[in-house]
Amino acid sequence: MQVDFADAPFLVIWETTQACDLACVHCRASAQPRRHPDELSTEEGFRLLAETARMGTPVFILSGGDPAKRPDLLELVREGKRLGLRMGTIPAATPALTSTLVRDLKEAGLDQMALSLDYPRAELHDRFRGVEGAFDKTLAAAQWAQEWGLPLQINTTLWADSASYLAEMAEWVERLGAVFWEVFFLVPVGRGELLDGIEARRCEELFAILYEVQKKARFILKVTEAPHYRRYVAQRVSEHPTARHGQGHAAPRGNVAMPEMLRRSEGPGHTIGFAPHGVNAGKGFVFVSHVGEVYPSGFLPISAGNVRSKSLPEIYRESPLMRALRDPDALHGRCRQCEYREICGGSRSRAYALTGDYLATDPWCIYQPAPANRRATSG
């Protein structure tokens, strides 16, 4: 589905609650067991869903915290489906996640369920998630998804310690029958500020692993908060333009085409996919907090407004923050000079977390733009 990112995001994520019984060491929200008394109500959630549908946004994710903490979770799924949205959710691996819940989510019309799996071994994953048994619960929930015919997504967080397990994690994703693998490169916010990041050169090594996985895997691979993976893929594809994964080529002034292997929006079954353009914070993507604050991303904590006082379309389309994030000429440093800036643009969240400037060069990118582009965009 084609979406004009100036008018609507491809994807809206609503943090339905920050309540969660896990204690993940990287948690952006620093989640806690109890729900916030000022969370958006069911009625406000319905209004948010309706505004999203009217914009033409195709995909809506109910996130958290743990969305299973919301007693109206199934109502929200049903309402989103009634409005024609593709609905996904990300329950935490807690006692609230049961076979019955997975069945009920399927019957409510949920298109895809995501589970977090960060390590291929129980002791490592449980330590990262802060609760013993989280690994086994995740594997059980993956089995329930298969039993009830609910397409499964696996989310994996990469940081300095977990990066060495990336190839092994790809094997696990295949083994679990997932249709979608989202690999998230850590942004140091919330509790994640205490974790070690990944050096720029190491990112390139991880991209090489992901590229080989993506060429062969039966599931869709999406890389989050490392948009320079698109640049890596475009470079590799340009070396072999007739390969089966589609044609791509280098072009001046940020005009590099998005390779076909990154444009696919759907895979097997009814999987939720990703857009045919380069989604980034505020550019095809928007995050709504549990109390209604609208952020370009959950990892870029600068509010553009609140859905309790303005509509989501107005905030997304008119906010100076959002408009700047959609303007490649507003970028600073190497990101502005880069010929891949239209399909990449760098992680705006990481730039802000590490430099304080959300338009700055992504510190985890090693690429040096072509000299012709540096001259063309200087000054």
Side-chain angles (χ1 to χ4, degrees):
M1 178 178 182
Q2 295 286 342
V3 179
D4 183 347
F5 289 168
D7 290 331
F10 179 79
L11 170 67
V12 171
I13 291 185
W14 171 27
E15 175 194 60
T16 59
T17 182
Q18 285 194 338
C20 183
D21 292 328
L22 298 181
C24 306
V25 298
H26 70 300
C27 182
R28 166 200 58 79
S30 298
Q32 53 189 331
R34 295 182 181 275
R35 294 176 58 196
H36 193 285
D38 201 29
E39 287 175 358
L40 294 183
S41 67
T42 303
E43 292 73 20
E44 289 171 319
F46 282 7
R47 185 168 67 246
L48 178 60
L49 287 163
E51 290 177 355
T52 301
R54 284 197 297 270
M55 277 196 296
T57 293
V59 181
F60 194 102
I61 306 298
L62 301 166
S63 181
D66 180 9
K69 285 277 196 176
R70 294 270 312 208
D72 57 358
L73 176 60
L74 298 176
E75 294 179 65
L76 294 168
V77 172
R78 293 190 194 100
E79 180 65 9
K81 292 306 297 177
R82 187 187 70 81
L83 293 166
L85 294 166
R86 296 175 67 82
M87 299 295 295
T89 193
I90 314 171
T94 72
L97 179 55
T98 63
S99 177
T100 300
L101 176 62
V102 175
R103 180 203 65 194
D104 291 346
L105 287 169
K106 171 67 175 180
E107 292 179 350
L110 191 75
D111 291 285
Q112 192 159 302
M113 179 180 73
L115 299 171
S116 295
L117 191 66
D118 307 290
Y119 286 88
R121 294 168 183 52
E123 66 276 11
L124 297 173
H125 178 81
D126 289 357
R127 186 184 315 131
F128 188 68
R129 291 286 160 177
V131 172
E132 185 176 352
F135 183 87
D136 290 340
K137 171 66 78 170
T138 300
L139 298 193
Q143 181 62 39
W144 298 330
Q146 284 199 352
E147 291 173 358
W148 295 114
L150 183 58
L152 174 66
Q153 172 178 329
I154 296 296
N155 294 346
T156 299
T157 299
L158 283 189
W159 62 294
D161 183 72
S162 65
S164 59
Y165 298 93
L166 181 62
E168 196 172 348
M169 280 304 308
E171 296 174 2
W172 266 97
V173 174
E174 192 82 56
R175 191 180 313 158
L176 292 173
V179 298
F180 199 99
W181 187 26
E182 182 162 354
V183 179
F184 168 72
F185 280 64
L186 178 75
V187 175
V189 295
R191 295 184 191 132
E193 290 181 330
L194 302 178
L195 301 183
D196 293 331
I198 301 172
E199 294 182 356
R201 192 171 301 279
R202 177 62 168 148
C203 285
E204 302 294 304
E205 297 170 355
L206 298 172
F207 291 165
I209 295 172
L210 291 170
Y211 180 70
E212 293 304 316
V213 169
Q214 187 162 18
K215 287 194 298 181
K216 302 171 184 176
R218 289 178 290 180
F219 51 79
I220 288 178
L221 169 67
K222 179 179 183 291
V223 177
T224 296
E225 293 298 354
H228 45 313
Y229 174 67
R230 301 174 196 144
R231 179 264 305 161
Y232 179 91
V233 171
Q235 287 178 296
R236 293 293 300 271
V237 169
S238 69
E239 297 168 1
H240 305 284
T242 59
R244 70 172 180 88
H245 42 56
Q247 187 170 0
H249 59 278
R253 299 289 320 247
N255 244 345
V256 175
M258 179 79 91
E260 181 63 29
M261 68 186 293
L262 294 178
R263 289 203 304 266
R264 290 180 304 150
S265 62
E266 293 197 354
H270 299 284
T271 173
I272 292 172
F274 48 95
H277 311 294
V279 174
N280 209 329
K283 180 184 178 182
F285 178 86
V286 71
F287 179 93
V288 181
S289 82
H290 61 300
V291 293
E293 296 294 330
V294 179
Y295 301 115
S297 162
F299 304 95
L300 179 47
I302 304 177
S303 177
N306 192 294
V307 295
R308 283 175 164 149
S309 55
K310 290 184 179 180
S311 72
L312 182 62
E314 181 182 1
I315 294 170
Y316 179 79
R317 293 168 182 164
E318 303 300 331
S319 160
L321 169 63
M322 299 287 188
R323 292 170 71 94
L325 288 166
R326 293 194 290 271
D327 179 7
D329 288 332
L331 295 171
H332 301 160
R334 284 186 288 117
C335 282
R336 182 183 178 188
Q337 298 163 355
C338 185
E339 62 267 37
Y340 297 94
R341 61 184 184 162
E342 290 283 1
I343 67 170
C344 171
S347 170
R348 300 299 94 221
S349 302
R350 186 174 299 104
Y352 182 72
L354 295 181
T355 74
D357 177 5
Y358 60 82
L359 296 173
T361 298
D362 185 341
W364 286 15
C365 180
I366 200 171
Y367 183 69
Q368 296 295 324
N373 289 290
R374 291 202 294 270
R375 290 195 298 272
T377 59
S378 62

